[in-house]
Amino acid sequence: MTVLLDFEKPVGDLRTRLDEVERAYATEPTSDLERQRASLKADLAARTQAIYRSLTPWQTVQVARHPHRPQTLDYAIGMCTEFVEFHGDRAFGDDRAIIGGPARINGRAVMIVGQQRGRETRERLERNFGSPHPEGYRKAHRLFQMAAKFGLPVVTMMDTPGASPGLADEERGQGWALAANLATLATLPVPIVCVVVGEGNSGGALAIGVGDRFLMLEHAIFSVASPEAAASIVWKDSKHAPQAADALKLTAPDLLRLKLIDRIVPEPVGGAHGDPSGMITNLRTALSDELDQLVAVPAADLVAARYAKYRRIGAWFDQGGTPS
Amino acid sequence: MTVLLDFEKPVGDLRTRLDEVERAYATEPTSDLERQRASLKADLAARTQAIYRSLTPWQTVQVARHPHRPQTLDYAIGMCTEFVEFHGDRAFGDDRAIIGGPARINGRAVMIVGQQRGRETRERLERNFGSPHPEGYRKAHRLFQMAAKFGLPVVTMMDTPGASPGLADEERGQGWALAANLATLATLPVPIVCVVVGEGNSGGALAIGVGDRFLMLEHAIFSVASPEAAASIVWKDSKHAPQAADALKLTAPDLLRLKLIDRIVPEPVGGAHGDPSGMITNLRTALSDELDQLVAVPAADLVAARYAKYRRIGAWFDQGGTPS
Amino acid sequence: MRNLFRRALPLVSGEAAQEAAPELWVRCGRCREMLYAREWEAAHRVCAKCGFHARLTVADRVALLLDGGSWQELDGSLRATDPLGFAPPGRQSYAEKLATESRDSGQNEAAAYGRGSVDGIPVALAVLDMGYFAGTLGAVVGEKVARAFELGVAERRAVIVVSASGGARQQEGVVALLQMAKLAAAAQALAAARVPFVSVLTDPTLGGVTASFATLGDCIIAEPGAVIGFAGPRIIEQTTGEKLPPGAQTAEFQLTHGMVDLVIARRDQKAAIARVIRLLMGGTALQASAAARDHLTAATNGATTMQPVPALQGFR
Amino acid sequence: MRNLFRRALPLVSGEAAQEAAPELWVRCGRCREMLYAREWEAAHRVCAKCGFHARLTVADRVALLLDGGSWQELDGSLRATDPLGFAPPGRQSYAEKLATESRDSGQNEAAAYGRGSVDGIPVALAVLDMGYFAGTLGAVVGEKVARAFELGVAERRAVIVVSASGGARQQEGVVALLQMAKLAAAAQALAAARVPFVSVLTDPTLGGVTASFATLGDCIIAEPGAVIGFAGPRIIEQTTGEKLPPGAQTAEFQLTHGMVDLVIARRDQKAAIARVIRLLMGGTALQASAAARDHLTAATNGATTMQPVPALQGFR
Ligand SMILES: [Zn+2]
Ligand SMILES: [Zn+2]
């Protein structure tokens, strides 16, 4: 079953017509139908490319949240020749909104940690729609420390509407869990590559998103808050989410331009949801490339460079003196 | 209000008669009454000393559990010129069965951690009778790590019937919390002095009782299980606790003879409950002495010696070869 | 965001009360009692009747915590830029909003930092200010707090940060978000240097501040009644439909849930902070050189006879 | 202690079932199904009908986990002493009890350890044995497991410990209690050497074993249905008066509560353990010398194309 986003409607019509022509051609393979088919195919590709080249920020948000978009487990299983999912924070529970464990990418053992939103309703409920509880972040923390112990590079994949905001989460110290992860990642003595594979909002994304290299898939988003949350703060009305998406500069190209991320991983034409295995290949290639470079750097240098990288972030001017 | 243990009855009668003579002497200070008073006093002291010199193990258990015996907070406040109680495990709760925080003993900054049983009913309930939950052991863990960070020697005080054995404690990983503390204490790069101040049973005591020097107050007990629990395992009946207390070798003199503890801290005649401030002075003296010696040792040597100390514990013989 | 907290909290801030009767009397933001302004100020804006801790300015905090005359503010001239060019149609642009906040508050940013001393102990102090842009964390606040941590490393000064914030400043987008990572890294640098960090949480401490440096203190002190959390009360109620029970997310709630070390009334904070720093820095001597040890012993000897602060256990 | 668990658990152990029909048939300890003994043994004593994992001997465990012929037991001749002179009036003395246990079980202590390999990866393996003195932790068990950890350090062998124990051995008193500290220290020595420790928890794992080395594994694997906890079910019910709900303290309960990494059926355990060790030792190469890296790469290359073990997520 295909899910069509609003702005994909023109492509949807084309695809329907192409399907009809394909069926007709199967029954009666005329040269006219063959020409029509070729022309429709070319048209479809061109239109798709055109649409995805000029997505608005709000349209990008829709793509980043597409129900058929590959998720962390798809990448962990698709990219890796070995993967063992480890469970639990050893103190309270096993949060299924965060998954992780040791894995092997292109022959190299790594530690994978990422949010998992789930796909059908039941899985989405079990995984709290990818909004982790404190015990999820504490599981991640345990895995980060295990990676450091065994010298495993860390690969994190962000895909979350944000950390879970329930009263129970507050009771178990959501803010404390997030902060502990930021602190631990800041000085973890192994290479860390972070990728936003879908939606990466707020401290809930950042708590597994501090490292040496920060990547975004082409149509992923990364933001201080979800557009809806930002709209209800700035406009006092979450209906202004599209305007907020515009203003927040949450797309990969905008963030690369602002030098707030390091690299964009290209998506197949029409987005990752149209070609998951193509996307998995693209991500594996990008990660292998990044890891190849990082493993050559001594751990102390990595950590020092990581500090310098985050320390630099933020522009201000000094009214009384020299601008920074 | 005086609490008299069974075997203290003879002393109790003497004390009553002495009180009567004191009152009579106050009204009519005759030389006869003065002689009686002196004789009773001497008799009382001699009898008390005789009783406490030859306590049976089961009587020692009663003394160790005496409701008026000083507890960890009494020592923390009484021995230290400064003490700040820190709260919470930063993840789930603040367990009042374990208290701890930085303090100053004889001018030296240390970290104090100990079980606290409580005295009146309400406090005992709030403190779960000194049986810590997992979050209590995790608070202790946090304080141990803080001590390592700031180079504070650690002083722990054991006084617990054992770790709390409820289903909720199992759900939050009681065994995991205990094990984590044993592991952390084994390699903590600061001096650690442990003292059993009352009852020290099972893994629940040991989880704050691994260190460079292990002390017991003269009438404290230290055991693999409470006598009642051991009796219900060995006799299938907790009523045999007195026999179990005998068999378990849980008194300070027995354990010193077995070379399983390092030092006995003398109690005032008649036990710590008769003279808390005398007991506090004795413990401060012993701790200062131990700390003076340990702070002179480099951290790496301390940890190596600690490993060797525990590694040696346990006797076996090698049927196929040489006895150990 | 500022209005958000005015609405979200059942308390009217002390400043608002003062406006109503500026000369002699103020009305308590919680119990509505009329209080004699001079006494109320002398009590550090704590209600004599109900104990309500009204919000303080940066200057008030400095007066409360530091030794008189020891405060030396640093880099007070840092000003925000507009990294995203945040100018959504129909709303105030970030640039305009900054101007409005400055005009309304008389401040120029939501944090100040500098050197000072507490009971003679040298410290670096940073204070966040709810009075400017709801204390939101943007690049300037991030830079000042980061410099406070680095000052702590460079001069081996204990660091005290007093937080009061609605969270990350939306108008700076990912730049604001990444201040969280920058500040956690800076706090780690202080930790690696084994210099104590005392974090003081005041009303309210929320969002990106809670989820980064504010909860990384070696010792976390909370002010009575302060609302402290990651998701604020309004967000929780909107997102989950849960109605929060009374007392949820207060300082006392966080103490019960194991998240803070101490809940301490204003009048006792300075003594408690001094004692904590003295004890934690006293231990460092053990690992340091003999010279450093002598120095530290000298610095701490003066106060070894202080009695325990009675309020330390008073908030259970 | 052994009888204690017989009574506490609703399951009859596999050995007991086998005694009832020693030749051809055994009865499942959970579902009471009659099973053909040869098939049941070939399935590592897992019931074909209900999946019940009956208890295994040390030899069974070795056959299940290690490569054929690779097992080399060490220090099998260690024997317990009686450190306390434990001889309470009216009960069997410890010395007598040891003799009884040896006679009944045909074993001489509750643990064995040695060298072996898993999928060609060199390991140190220790196995605790419920069949002798309820797998209780005394000086000999403690010594053997400690030596397994030290073998791991000395030869950089991953360490696997299969636990099955009623807890500390009361008859050795504080000597038994302190084995917990000794083993936690030994596990820490392995951790400091950055050599992986895989802990396998089987039915039952309780008391001093749970509260020391068994829960310190880098990866903790539990056998389906195994009862795992600190306080055993009988102690909880006696002490608190709580009646335990069905499934409390099982492997699956511990997975839900975040305490174990994996619940894996017997037939999949060897492959999973090999994979975990390969991955964790693969990382060490990064930090090690070039020579060590080449060595490790060579050792792990053979299996990079293995597919994920399907059972790994099967027990939610
Ligand atoms: Zn009031
Ligand atoms: Zn069956």
Side-chain angles (χ1 to χ4, degrees), chain B residues 15-312:
Chain B
R15 211 178 282 154
T16 311
R17 277 171 53 208
L18 177 60
D19 283 354
E20 286 164 10
V21 171
E22 294 273 19
R23 267 197 301 275
Y25 183 79
T27 327
E28 190 186 359
T30 68
S31 62
D32 183 50
L33 282 170
E34 193 170 350
R35 265 196 309 279
Q36 276 191 50
R37 190 179 64 164
S39 148
L40 279 168
K41 270 191 174 166
D43 203 12
L44 184 62
R47 289 251 202 157
T48 305
Q49 196 157 29
I51 288 173
Y52 274 85
R53 237 184 220 156
S54 58
L55 293 176
T56 67
W58 181 242
Q59 287 170 341
T60 305
V61 172
Q62 307 315 306
V63 176
R65 293 172 176 173
H66 196 289
H68 293 175
R69 198 171 168 83
Q71 301 187 355
T72 298
L73 259 179
D74 299 315
Y75 293 109
I77 292 169
M79 288 191 311
C80 303
T81 46
E82 298 186 282
F83 169 59
V84 183
E85 187 184 347
F86 281 6
H87 292 273
D89 68 346
R90 299 278 191 273
F92 185 83
D94 181 46
D95 183 358
R96 303 195 63 215
I98 287 193
I99 61 147
R104 193 180 301 277
I105 299 179
N106 268 11
R108 176 177 286 121
V110 301
M111 181 66 78
I112 282 184
V113 172
Q115 284 113 358
Q116 176 75 9
R117 310 176 78 126
R119 211 154 267 136
E120 345 82 76
T121 308
R122 194 187 136 188
E123 192 200 351
R124 286 163 62 82
L125 285 168
E126 278 174 6
R127 300 193 186 274
N128 198 28
F129 305 92
S131 282
H133 299 296
E135 53 271 24
Y137 291 106
R138 293 186 178 118
K139 168 166 69 179
H141 193 262
R142 178 171 79 87
L143 297 178
F144 294 149
Q145 293 192 308
M146 195 183 302
K149 175 177 177 181
F150 292 112
L152 298 169
V154 172
V155 172
T156 74
M157 289 183 264
M158 281 159 275
D159 192 10
T160 181
S164 181
L167 179 60
D169 300 299
E170 294 293 317
E171 287 176 341
R172 299 200 293 276
Q174 185 69 282
W176 281 254
L178 298 172
N181 279 15
L182 298 182
T184 294
L185 288 173
T187 50
L188 205 74
V190 287
I192 307 171
V193 182
C194 311
V195 193
V196 190
V197 298
E199 188 175 11
N201 291 337
S202 177
L206 193 68
I208 63 165
V210 173
D212 304 302
R213 297 283 290 172
F214 194 99
L215 283 52
M216 287 179 70
L217 302 200
E218 191 180 346
H219 304 305
I221 63 162
F222 181 47
S223 178
V224 66
S226 73
E228 290 82 356
S232 58
I233 294 171
V234 177
W235 279 263
K236 322 286 173 218
D237 186 349
S238 63
K239 280 198 217 99
H240 288 85
Q243 288 95 312
D246 249 5
L248 286 168
K249 303 280 183 289
L250 45 62
T251 67
D254 276 343
L255 291 166
L256 189 67
R257 205 172 305 123
L258 289 164
K259 295 192 173 60
L260 294 169
I261 67 168
D262 298 308
R263 176 174 181 162
I264 297 175
V265 184
E267 301 198 10
V269 172
H273 56 280
D275 179 8
S277 74
M279 185 69 248
I280 287 167
T281 302
N282 289 1
L283 184 55
R284 178 172 45 214
T285 304
L287 285 175
S288 299
D289 175 37
E290 296 293 349
L291 291 170
D292 284 347
Q293 294 174 43
L294 292 171
V295 295
V297 183
D301 297 351
L302 269 184
V303 173
R306 200 183 302 152
Y307 186 84
K309 168 185 164 172
Y310 284 97
R311 187 63 190 81
R312 267 194 304 270

Side-chain angles (χ1 to χ4, degrees), chain B residues 82 104, chain C residues 118-122 274 277-279 281-282 291-304:
Chain B
E82 298 186 282
R104 193 180 301 277
Chain C
V118 180
D119 265 11
I121 307 166
I277 295 173
R278 253 194 324 264
L279 286 170
M281 305 252 334
R293 176 159 30 189
D294 293 345
H295 169 76
L296 279 157
T297 309
T300 53
N301 266 351
T304 49

